[in-house]
Amino acid sequence: MKFETIAIHAGKRPDASTGAISVPIYQTSTFVFEDVGKTRGWDYSRTANPTRKVLEDTIAQLEGGKAGFAFTTGMAAETTVMHLLKTGDHVISGDDVYGGTYRLFQDVMSDFGLEFTFLRMDNRKSIEEAVRPNTRMLWLETPSNPLLNIVDIEMVVDIAKKHKLLTVIDSTFATPYFLRPIEYGVDLVVHSTTKYLNGHCDVVGGAVVTTTGELSQKVQFLLNAMGTCASPFDCWLVLRGIETLPVRMKQHEENAFAVANYLKGHPKVKRVLYPGLESHNGHEIAKRQMKGFGGVVSCELTGGIKGVNTFLRRLKVFSLAESLGGITSLAEHPATMSHASMPKDYRERAGITNGLIRLSVGLENVDDLIEDLEQALNRL
Ligand SMILES: *Cc1c(COP(=O)(O)O)cnc(C)c1O
C-alpha cells in the first residue's frame, strides 16, 4: 500500500461487535480474563491497549519499521530510549537538538552516569574523533530545531555501523511523509507526535519506531516497566491526525516555501533558514534524502532583541507560542522560549542567536500569512 492509504487504513478494521468504522477508544485500565490464566489478548492498559496498538502499528508502517510504540510525550519517548543505555555509556549528539532533548541529556541523564558529546553532525572526521571506547549511541535530529540544519544520514549511519553504535533519529520535523530514516539504516526513529503527526495543537504525545525484534522487545519492556505509554484517548487523536498527514504536509510545505521566499527579499530580515532554499547550507543533502522540506522556517531579524519583541507583539494571524506542526501558524523566539534551557554561551555557539525567530507555517491562506508578516516587519 502507498503512504496515503497506510495513513488511513493501517491496522484498522471495522469494530467486530458493532461495525463502527472509527477505531473505538478503549478507555479501560484492565481487561477481564476469559478463564484463569487465559486472557483475550489484553490484560492491562499500561502493557498494551487496543487503541494504542492501532496507532503504534500505523506509525511503524509509515516509517517502514518493525514495531511502533506510543508515549505520553515526545520527551517520554526519548527518556525511554535513553534507558536502553547503562551508566558509563557515552552518547554523541547533535549540538542543535531540541532544547528539551539537550536538557534531558545534560541535566538529567548525566546524573545517572551517561556521558555526552554535543557536536555539529556535518563532518565525518569530527564525529569519528568523538567516538570513545564506551560510545554506544549516535543521536541526530534533521532538520534540526530551530536552525533547520540537515544531517547527512547515510554518512552518520556509516560511521555508526563501523563502530557498532546505535543510531537514533528525532524525525519530528520531517515526518515519515518527507523522510524515511530507516531506509538509510537508522536503528530507532523518535517522534514528538505533538507536532505534525497529530497536527492539530490538541494533544502531547511521542512515538518510537524500532527496526529489529530485539530492539522492539527492549522498548516494549521499558515502556511497560517505566509506564511512559500514551493514553487511549490521546492515541485516538493522533490516529485521527495521521489520516490527513499527507495532505497537511503538502500544504505546510507550499505555504512555508512562499513564506521563506517572501522573507528572503525583505530588508529587515538578515537571513532565512529553510532547507528548500538553494542558499541553505543543507539544501543539496535535503534534496537527496527527503521528499520535501517541511513547514518550519526560521529567520534572523535586524534590530536585535528589541526588534524581535516588536515583531512578535505585532503578529495577528501567527500566534506567539511554543510548539510547531499544527494547522495554526505559530511564531516563537527560541533563545527565550523553546531553547531557554540551553546555557547562553552554548546556545550562541550553536547559532541560536537573540535575533532568531522560528515560524511554524500553518494551513491558513498563505496570502494572509504573508500580509501578517509584512505588517509586523514594517514596524521594525
Ligand atoms: C517538541 C519536540 C520534542 C519534545 O516533544 P514533546 O511532545 O513536547 O515532549 C522533541 N523533539 C523535537 C524535535 C520537538 O520539536
Side-chain angles (χ1 to χ4, degrees):
M1 282 198 292
K2 300 276 197 301
F3 193 93
E4 291 78 0
T5 316
I6 295 172
I8 293 171
H9 289 290
K12 291 179 197 153
R13 244 165 267 124
D15 178 48
S17 57
T18 64
I21 197 157
S22 167
V23 175
I25 304 167
Y26 288 92
Q27 192 70 28
T28 184
S29 57
T30 194
F31 300 84
V32 177
F33 279 52
E34 241 169 26
D35 193 5
V36 177
K38 186 162 181 269
T39 69
R40 294 173 172 83
W42 310 96
D43 52 29
Y44 188 61
S45 273
R46 168 157 42 73
T47 313
N49 173 281
T51 312
R52 193 172 92 218
K53 182 77 166 67
V54 178
L55 172 62
E56 293 174 333
D57 290 350
T58 303
I59 296 180
Q61 282 195 45
L62 291 176
E63 288 287 2
K66 185 92 177 171
F69 300 93
F71 298 87
T72 45
T73 63
M75 291 319 301
E78 294 191 12
T79 303
T80 306
V81 164
M82 293 318 285
H83 280 74
L84 292 167
L85 302 176
K86 291 195 168 57
T87 301
D89 288 350
H90 173 243
V91 180
I92 300 172
S93 164
D95 68 347
D96 60 340
V97 290
Y98 173 69
T101 303
Y102 175 81
R103 179 173 54 197
L104 172 70
F105 291 176
Q106 189 65 18
D107 300 342
V108 182
M109 301 314 300
S110 288
D111 285 349
F112 291 86
L114 293 187
E115 298 167 15
F116 294 89
T117 300
F118 296 93
L119 49 80
R120 190 56 48 98
M121 291 273 189
D122 61 356
N123 181 299
R124 173 185 287 270
K125 192 158 163 284
S126 62
I127 301 172
E128 291 211 298
E129 278 170 6
V131 177
R132 304 176 192 167
N134 58 338
T135 307
R136 294 284 174 270
M137 181 185 281
L138 269 168
W139 184 285
L140 49 139
E141 190 178 312
T142 182
S144 70
N145 181 2
L147 296 169
L148 303 161
N149 285 316
I150 302 294
V151 177
D152 183 339
I153 303 172
E154 275 180 307
M155 185 259 285
V156 173
V157 165
D158 191 53
I159 298 170
K161 291 241 183 318
K162 212 167 106 191
H163 297 274
K164 298 195 165 49
L165 312 178
L166 197 65
T167 42
V168 186
I169 187 169
D170 181 341
S171 202
T172 297
F173 270 47
T175 82
Y177 185 67
F178 284 142
L179 175 68
R180 305 231 309 164
I182 289 171
E183 290 173 0
Y184 299 107
V186 164
D187 297 306
L188 289 168
V189 181
V190 171
H191 282 285
S192 168
T193 56
T194 310
K195 316 294 169 51
Y196 290 109
L197 289 180
N198 177 61
H200 292 74
C201 305
D202 51 14
V203 70
V204 287
V208 172
V209 177
T210 60
T211 49
T212 65
E214 190 191 346
L215 281 171
S216 308
Q217 261 177 16
K218 284 184 180 168
V219 173
Q220 168 63 33
F221 173 80
L222 289 171
L223 172 149
N224 186 47
M226 295 168 66
T228 42
C229 53
S231 79
F233 182 56
D234 286 356
C235 289
W236 186 86
L237 284 170
V238 178
L239 259 178
R240 179 182 161 125
I242 285 176
E243 290 171 346
T244 55
L245 181 70
V247 281
R248 283 189 289 108
M249 292 318 288
K250 268 189 241 173
Q251 194 61 45
H252 277 299
E253 184 184 42
E254 193 181 315
N255 288 2
F257 248 118
V259 164
N261 279 321
Y262 163 75
L263 291 171
K264 203 175 62 178
H266 201 286
K268 298 286 166 62
V269 179
K270 258 201 257 179
R271 57 175 185 148
V272 182
L273 301 170
Y274 183 64
L277 297 178
E278 272 174 32
S279 58
H280 190 277
N281 59 13
H283 176 71
E284 286 306 319
I285 300 168
K287 211 163 76 176
R288 196 177 71 226
Q289 72 188 15
M290 298 173 77
K291 236 186 75 186
F293 303 103
V296 177
V297 179
S298 293
C299 66
E300 207 170 324
L301 302 182
T302 59
I305 194 77
K306 204 160 153 260
V308 163
N309 289 346
T310 309
F311 173 78
L312 291 173
R313 285 196 184 110
R314 279 279 155 191
L315 290 171
K316 295 187 176 97
V317 182
F318 281 85
S319 302
L320 174 59
E322 292 189 8
S323 201
L324 59 105
I327 32 96
T328 179
S329 290
L330 303 176
E332 71 112 13
H333 183 225
T336 56
M337 296 167 69
S338 61
H339 289 67
S341 52
M342 277 184 182
K344 184 163 176 286
D345 59 329
Y346 181 91
R347 208 167 52 222
E348 283 173 357
R349 242 183 297 128
I352 305 167
T353 60
N354 276 341
L356 193 77
I357 299 282
R358 188 188 74 196
L359 301 173
S360 173
V361 182
L363 303 183
E364 300 91 341
N365 187 293
V366 75
D367 294 342
D368 291 332
L369 296 178
I370 289 175
E371 202 171 299
D372 192 34
L373 295 169
E374 172 128 318
Q375 59 82 24
L377 283 171
N378 287 346
R379 296 288 167 155
L380 298 189

